[in-house]
Amino acid sequence: MLLDLFYIPIIVLLGLGFIQLFNKDLSERDHRMLRNLLFFHLFLGVYYCYFILGDAVGYWRVPKAYTFETFKEGLFDGEGTMFMYAFNFLFSNLLNMSYLSNTLVFSLFGFMGITFFYLVVVKTVKYNKRLHGYILFPALFFLPNLHFWSAGVGKDTTLFLCIGMFTYGVMKPIIRSPLLVLSVLLALAIRPHIVLFLMVGFGLAYILGGKISVFQRVAFSTVLLGIGLAILPSVLEFAKIEDASAESFDKFAEGKAAVLSRASTGSAIDISSYPFPLKVLTFWFRPFFFDVRNINGLIASLENLVLVIVFLKAMRSKPLQAFKAAPFVIKGLVFFLIVGTLAFSQSLGNVGIMIRMRNMFLPGLLIYMLWIFSYEQERKLIRKI
């Protein structure tokens, strides 16, 4: 489409300009790496556009038939899919973007999320780690699926941005309150349970919050947990759970597992008989080589092999001690990871859906492992003094 010649260069320039917003926090090496991440991310966005047909096409096509009234109704009263149709009305309808340009806009959103996570590492992880000859940061940020599932038009990419914004925002909540508000409002409209997970995770992190004053712990943890309780009814309604009892959640998980484990889903695996630890490992590290059915599965399995190697190495480096010493933002990401794992590892039986859902929590796992190695190196240096 002729308009692509106009939109695509603008998208690239916006990505490069976004990096420049954080000049004072980034070294020249960080600038170079983020530029590489931008082009790698956009490349995977192009791949997603031409080789993955799914919900993303609908998020582009449906809003093209929207009227302005339909747009307003979906934006202010819609949730989930209906909200995403309305949100994408701006690009698909008003700007008349092709599917390629629309995909690259969302790829830009995903890259912005990755940039926020990158900045968290820059601000919190003091020492880098070399493993088998490779420097882990920012190498781990080039894992393909981290980019792939945050490059397409739709909920996953937008939520990835929201989580990145929120994580970066809580490091300085007063100054960055606009980022926090925007991330929460967007995520609430898309998947309110993710907001609940964030509130619980970072609320717990504030309670256990290291060098934060007692007043700040009480104030911010009260606010976050209060928001979590306030949106709980919306989450239950969204998930079609009648009440917050353990029985209801068990019933919900069993139902989701049954639906998502059907053979018709293509990449289904029956998790219903798995013990709890194996469900968690399945959520974190599958597909593995015995699950491979195509080239995408092979790439994912190679990536998961890398994750397993780094994870096993990290778990041998006093992870609990490192967690206790971690900055509250890393503790928040770990709690967010735990809550998300508890929820999704019990209910997902489709490898493709697992990878998509895991992608929201993967940055937390990566950053925590980087922190463990950094803390180990710091302790070694202290012992030498």
Side-chain angles (χ1 to χ4, degrees):
M1 189 174 181
L2 190 60
L3 282 175
D4 288 343
L5 299 176
F6 174 72
Y7 285 132
I8 293 176
I10 289 179
I11 292 167
V12 174
L13 290 174
L14 286 174
L16 294 171
F18 186 74
I19 298 171
Q20 297 300 317
L21 294 176
F22 307 100
N23 268 338
K24 60 182 176 57
D25 298 319
L26 300 172
S27 66
E28 181 53 39
R29 175 178 177 272
D30 292 324
H31 273 280
R32 185 173 66 254
M33 289 301 171
L34 280 171
R35 288 194 294 269
N36 291 340
L37 283 167
L38 170 64
F39 289 108
F40 182 60
H41 196 80
L42 293 177
F43 168 76
L44 286 179
V46 173
Y47 178 84
Y48 191 104
C49 174
Y50 287 109
F51 293 97
I52 303 298
L53 299 177
D55 296 343
V57 177
Y59 289 128
W60 168 73
R61 182 178 294 147
V62 171
K64 284 189 171 295
Y66 267 29
T67 65
F68 194 71
E69 289 302 317
T70 312
F71 158 69
K72 287 195 300 181
E73 182 180 353
L75 190 67
F76 295 107
D77 299 322
E79 61 180 21
T81 300
M82 298 308 296
F83 173 83
M84 281 307 306
Y85 287 153
F87 181 78
N88 204 42
F89 172 87
L90 302 171
F91 309 107
S92 173
N93 191 310
L94 289 185
L95 296 178
N96 193 29
M97 284 187 168
S98 69
Y99 182 51
L100 173 61
S101 293
N102 199 171
T103 299
L104 291 180
V105 166
F106 275 76
S107 296
L108 176 62
F109 293 161
F111 169 73
M112 291 165 68
I114 286 173
T115 302
F116 286 127
F117 289 121
Y118 191 104
L119 288 162
V120 171
V121 177
V122 167
K123 288 296 187 180
T124 58
V125 178
K126 189 175 181 179
Y127 299 100
N128 215 331
K129 172 74 174 179
R130 187 181 292 272
L131 190 62
H132 300 298
Y134 295 95
I135 298 175
L136 290 184
F137 179 73
L140 289 178
F141 273 58
F142 283 90
L143 292 174
N145 276 289
L146 183 66
H147 297 265
F148 185 75
W149 295 111
S150 59
V153 181
K155 302 174 188 175
D156 299 314
T157 299
T158 312
L159 278 172
F160 188 84
L161 170 60
C162 290
I163 296 165
M165 280 196 297
F166 185 89
T167 304
Y168 180 71
V170 294
M171 296 174 71
K172 292 183 178 179
I174 303 300
I175 297 174
R176 298 170 185 166
S177 56
L179 280 180
L180 292 173
V181 172
L182 177 61
S183 63
V184 168
L185 290 178
L186 264 178
L188 268 176
I190 301 168
R191 288 190 183 127
H193 53 284
I194 298 301
V195 179
L196 179 62
F197 297 168
L198 284 170
M199 296 302 119
V200 172
F202 282 86
L204 289 172
Y206 268 119
I207 293 172
L208 305 173
K211 298 179 181 179
I212 301 173
S213 69
V214 174
F215 172 77
Q216 285 180 313
R217 289 190 202 181
V218 173
F220 286 110
S221 61
T222 300
V223 169
L224 292 177
L225 294 175
I227 293 173
L229 289 173
I231 67 172
L232 182 58
S234 298
V235 173
L236 298 178
E237 182 181 354
F238 184 85
K240 301 298 186 289
I241 302 174
E242 294 179 2
D243 54 65
S245 67
E247 182 181 353
S248 294
F249 281 109
D250 287 342
K251 184 177 178 181
F252 174 69
E254 290 172 5
K256 292 291 285 185
V259 171
L260 295 173
S261 296
R262 293 177 303 185
S264 60
T265 57
S267 53
I269 52 176
D270 183 7
I271 65 169
S272 58
S273 60
Y274 284 15
F276 175 73
L278 189 54
K279 287 182 179 180
V280 171
L281 293 176
T282 297
F283 181 65
W284 284 358
F285 301 122
R286 286 179 74 175
F288 218 58
F289 294 105
F290 44 77
D291 297 310
V292 172
R293 299 185 181 185
N294 51 45
I295 187 65
N296 291 333
L298 177 61
I299 293 171
S301 65
L302 289 170
E303 177 179 315
N304 285 332
L305 176 61
V306 172
L307 283 176
V308 168
I309 292 170
V310 178
F311 179 79
L312 291 176
K313 182 69 175 177
M315 291 304 102
R316 294 169 55 189
S317 304
K318 298 183 178 180
L320 293 179
Q321 187 176 343
F323 175 78
K324 291 178 182 178
F328 85 90
V329 66
I330 293 180
K331 288 179 178 174
L333 283 170
V334 172
F335 281 127
F336 177 59
L337 168 68
I338 291 171
V339 174
T341 299
L342 290 174
F344 290 124
S345 67
Q346 306 306 300
S347 61
L348 300 180
N350 178 283
V351 174
I353 296 173
M354 279 185 177
I355 297 174
R356 288 172 56 184
M357 294 297 105
R358 185 194 66 180
N359 205 54
M360 295 182 287
F361 309 100
L362 183 58
L365 179 61
L366 297 179
I367 293 171
Y368 178 47
M369 292 191 295
L370 290 170
W371 165 257
I372 291 173
F373 295 130
S374 176
Y375 180 74
E376 179 187 38
Q377 181 65 22
E378 185 176 5
R379 298 301 297 172
K380 287 180 179 178
L381 292 174
I382 291 173
R383 285 194 293 269
K384 289 180 180 179
I385 296 175

